[in-house]
Amino acid sequence: MDYTVVLSDNKTVDPTTQSEILEAAGATIELLDEKTESAVADAVQGADGIIVDAGTPITEAVLAGTETLGVVGRAGIGVDNIDVDAAAEHGITVVNVPDYCLDEVSTHALSLLLACVRAVPHYDREVKDETWDWETGQPLHRMAGRTLGLAGFGRIARRLASKLRAYRLDVIAQDPNVDAATMEDYGVEKVSFEGLLDCSDFLSVHTPLFEGTRHLFSTDEFERMRDDAVLVNTSRGPILDEDALVAALDDGELAKAGLDVLDSEPPSPDNPLFDRDDVVLTPHVGWYSEESRSDLSRGVASDVAAVLQGEAPSNPVDPETPWL
C-alpha cells in the first residue's frame, strides 16, 4: 500500500535515514518548510502521517481538517506543540522518542552548571581580552557538600542524578508523578516544590512544558530561592518567566543562570539576557550529538512506519500522561 508522509523537520533528524525507513514501508515523502498552522493544515490534506519538530504546531484545527492523517511523529521527547487530546478524539496516533538524547541533555545541564559555578565563560572572555587575573571572577564556592535540586524526575533528571554522585552533592527532587522510593533508588530525596526552592543551592529544570508548568518559575519563586543559587534550564524556555528572571538577577535574588532554552527561539537580538556576565547561554543544543541524531531519526521513522502498516508503535504517547 502507498502512503504519504510529510516531513517538517530537517534539523534534529537525518532526513536520509528517515526517508530510507519510510520508503521501505511504502511511503512517499513530502517536505514542509513553512511551519504556520495554516501551512501545516494544508500539508496534511491527503497525507497519512507527519513527522514534526518542536516548532511545528499540530493543533485541533490541523487535526480536524484532515480525514486521512493516521499518525503524528514527534521528532523529540516533548509533545507540547501537539494537541494530544484532539489527536485521540480524531483517532490519530501520536508517537515520540522518549529515550533519545538522555546522555546529551543530562551532560549539557551539568556543563552549564559547571560553567556557572566556575565562571568559565567569564574567565574565557577575560583571558582573551588580555586580562590574566583570578580575582575578577570572585566569589567562587566549592560545589561539594551543597544541595542540587531537580525540578522533575524523568529520564533525563535520573541520568543527571547518576552523574552527580561523583560531585558529592546532596540531591533532592520534586515531581508529583514519581514516588519517594524511586527517587531513593538514585540517591535522591523527594521534596515538595517549596522545599525545592528553599533548599537548592543549584536547581536544574527537567519538567515538561504544559499549561501547569508555564512560568512555573516566576517572581515569587525567584524571591523564595537562595540569593546565591544557580538555576539551569535545559527543558523548555517558557517554564521560566524571563522578565522575572532578569529582575531576580538584577535584584540579587539569584546568582547565575545557565540556559539552553529560551521563551522565543531564536531570541530577539535585544534580549536582555545577552549582555549579562551572570548568564550562560547555548542555542538549544543540549539534545545534539551525531549519535542522538541517528537514534532520533530511526526511532520516530520506525514508529510512524509501524502505525502506517497497522502495527503497534514502540512509543505511543498516552493523552492522559503525555509528559511521561
Side-chain angles (χ1 to χ4, degrees), residues 30-323:
E30 294 183 355
L31 301 179
L32 172 65
D33 294 325
E34 187 179 349
K35 298 181 181 180
T36 63
E37 183 181 53
S38 60
V40 177
D42 289 341
V44 297
Q45 296 299 316
D48 301 285
I50 184 170
I51 295 178
V52 303
D53 61 6
T56 305
I58 304 296
T59 62
E60 160 66 28
V62 169
L63 297 168
T66 173
E67 297 180 356
T68 57
L69 197 67
V71 58
V72 175
R74 167 68 172 95
I77 298 174
V79 291
D80 43 281
N81 60 308
I82 301 171
D83 190 332
V84 292
D85 289 328
E89 291 173 5
H90 291 284
I92 298 170
T93 301
V94 178
V95 298
N96 66 345
V97 192
D99 56 356
Y100 105 103
C101 78
L102 304 185
D103 188 64
E104 287 78 7
V105 178
S106 58
T107 297
H108 201 79
L110 180 56
S111 300
L112 288 172
L113 175 62
L114 294 174
C116 288
V117 170
R118 296 302 305 169
V120 173
H122 167 82
Y123 283 122
D124 175 71
R125 288 191 295 269
E126 291 284 286
V127 171
K128 290 174 180 176
D129 287 339
E130 301 183 8
T131 299
W132 189 269
D133 186 357
W134 66 269
E135 293 180 306
T136 63
Q138 288 182 308
L140 301 184
H141 296 283
R142 179 178 295 165
M143 283 183 65
R146 304 183 81 184
T147 299
L148 184 140
L150 299 168
F153 201 66
R155 293 175 175 89
I156 293 171
R158 297 177 196 194
R159 187 68 62 90
L160 176 58
S162 297
K163 294 177 179 180
L164 292 170
R165 291 172 183 166
Y167 290 84
R168 296 194 294 118
L169 291 162
D170 294 323
V171 184
I172 60 177
Q174 180 271 335
D175 191 321
N177 301 299
V178 181
D179 59 37
T182 299
M183 292 186 184
E184 188 175 351
D185 289 341
Y186 291 85
V188 175
E189 178 187 356
K190 183 179 174 70
V191 297
S192 65
F193 185 62
E194 292 74 17
L196 186 78
L197 298 174
D198 292 341
C199 300
S200 297
D201 297 294
F202 316 118
L203 201 160
S204 189
V205 179
H206 299 282
T207 184
L209 177 63
F210 55 96
E211 198 52 42
T213 62
R214 187 175 296 274
H215 286 187
L216 179 65
F217 291 88
S218 190
T219 302
D220 292 344
E221 290 72 29
F222 294 137
E223 288 179 353
R224 184 158 186 160
M225 289 176 65
R226 297 173 57 97
D227 291 349
D228 60 352
V230 175
L231 179 67
V232 171
N233 186 15
T234 54
S235 184
R236 285 289 186 271
I239 294 171
L240 306 186
D241 180 339
E242 284 187 15
D243 291 337
L245 174 62
V246 170
L249 291 166
D250 283 341
D251 295 341
E253 294 171 346
L254 198 66
K256 295 181 181 180
L259 310 175
D260 185 49
V261 288
L262 294 173
D263 201 354
S264 177
E265 296 179 4
S268 168
D270 61 356
N271 189 304
L273 294 169
F274 284 0
D275 297 325
R276 306 193 66 100
D277 204 35
D278 51 8
V279 176
V280 179
L281 298 173
T282 54
H284 201 152
V285 71
W287 62 272
Y288 170 68
S289 73
E290 288 299 305
E291 292 79 8
S292 69
R293 197 165 184 246
S294 176
D295 293 343
L296 178 61
S297 304
R298 294 185 181 281
V300 68
S302 295
D303 259 5
V304 167
V307 174
L308 293 177
Q309 295 175 313
E311 301 170 2
S314 298
N315 295 299
V317 175
D318 183 352
E320 296 296 323
T321 54
W323 53 86

